[in-house]
Amino acid sequence: MGSAFANIFANKELKDRILFTFVMFVIFRLGVHIPVPGVDSSVIESLFTSGNIFGFLDLFSGGALSKFSLFAMSITPYINSSIIMQLLTAVIPTLEEWQKDGQEGYKKIQKVTRYFTVVLAFIQAFGMAYALRANNALLDNSWFFLFFIVIVLTAGTCLLVWIGEQITEKGIGNGISLIIFCGIVARFPEAASTIVDYLKVGTITPLQALLFVVIGLAMILVVIAVNEAQRRIPVQYAKRVVGRKMYGGHSTFLPLKVNQAGVIPIIFASSIIMMPVTLAQFVHINWVKSLATLFGWGTWPNTILYGILIFMFTYFYTAITVNVKDLADNMKKYGGFIPGIRPGEPTMMYIDKVLTRITLTGAIFLAFVAILPNFIGNITGIQGVYFGGTALLIVVGVALETMRQAQSLMVTRNYRGFLK
């Protein structure tokens, strides 16, 4: 391991990229601690003491939401904008053409995504500011001050998106993913301190703390295994003679990931499950408040509906992102075929059948890791510490992807790499 880190710092390009990424992380963490002026912090804190979904959202903002700081909305608007654009690409011909245009088309899609992010950020910021105004959390209830807060929150999200893009371009890894990664990891010391305090005052026993650690390690192993799991469909390419050269005649495979949808279904389901709670902040209708109470974070109706929505969205998002027809057509175009399966429609049906089966495993896995936090507290007796597979899924996925990029940079520079 020592030689591995020595190789990292011997590679000037990789060292500069890591240092740049670290500087961007520092800027992000500084912004988390810059509060939005004119907001009563006691009202904000009360929203995070009832074990609701706000604690879940605060985890991904690195604590910025509970502090109602400059980065309170984190990059949620950008994520939502990216997801919406990805879905629209499947139904809008122009966006589909852009996607096939390579780097130039990608730049156009990114430009539209940024504009859409500003719109979504403004709407979300207005909703948050209006909810605070309705709960008398603003020191000045004038509309001018409300729009001032909206502009500050929107600017904070835009700054975070810029930081993420700078990390992607000049740092290492995917910048947007690394910002979420940094926000989650930044809460780990606080969680560990909370567990130590529980042990000191006798709220939990050492056995319960040990059980919590064992569950955490087991979840890390499960997340890594499922995240890396894939079904490899063998593909054979026929020999072709073009001019005086012969092409094809080799074997390869088509990798289909078990968790093809990533964490997107969890984000979709979380957005929908939050609707009753969000509506209850704006309207004072009894049945809406009753609905918000019934589907409150951690209740059985909430847990069951949450799992069902994740299951459904996993299939939906996989069907949107994996174009089975294009896979079969491209395979046939270049002379490829699956042994024992005829090219064309039979190949498409076979791939679709395999994808449907492995997606079932992925859907069950995502639903399990998402609702796990609702049970860990009851099993271990440790309350107030958010620990779930969703966070681990993001942390492990981003860590593995960043490590692969570091590995490829070192390999291209003729170093042994991070792993032997």
Side-chain angles (χ1 to χ4, degrees), residues 14-15 33 61 114 123 150 179 182 202 252 266 350 405:
L14 181 57
K15 180 181 68 175
H33 296 282
S61 67
R114 293 190 197 101
I123 294 173
V150 170
I179 288 176
C182 181
T252 182
I266 297 178
Y350 177 78
Q405 185 172 341

Side-chain angles (χ1 to χ4, degrees), residues 61 65 70-77 121-122 124-125 128 153-154 157:
S61 67
L65 183 57
L70 178 65
F71 297 147
M73 296 194 304
S74 188
I75 55 173
T76 304
F122 187 87
Q124 183 176 337
M128 293 174 65
L153 291 176
T154 304
T157 294

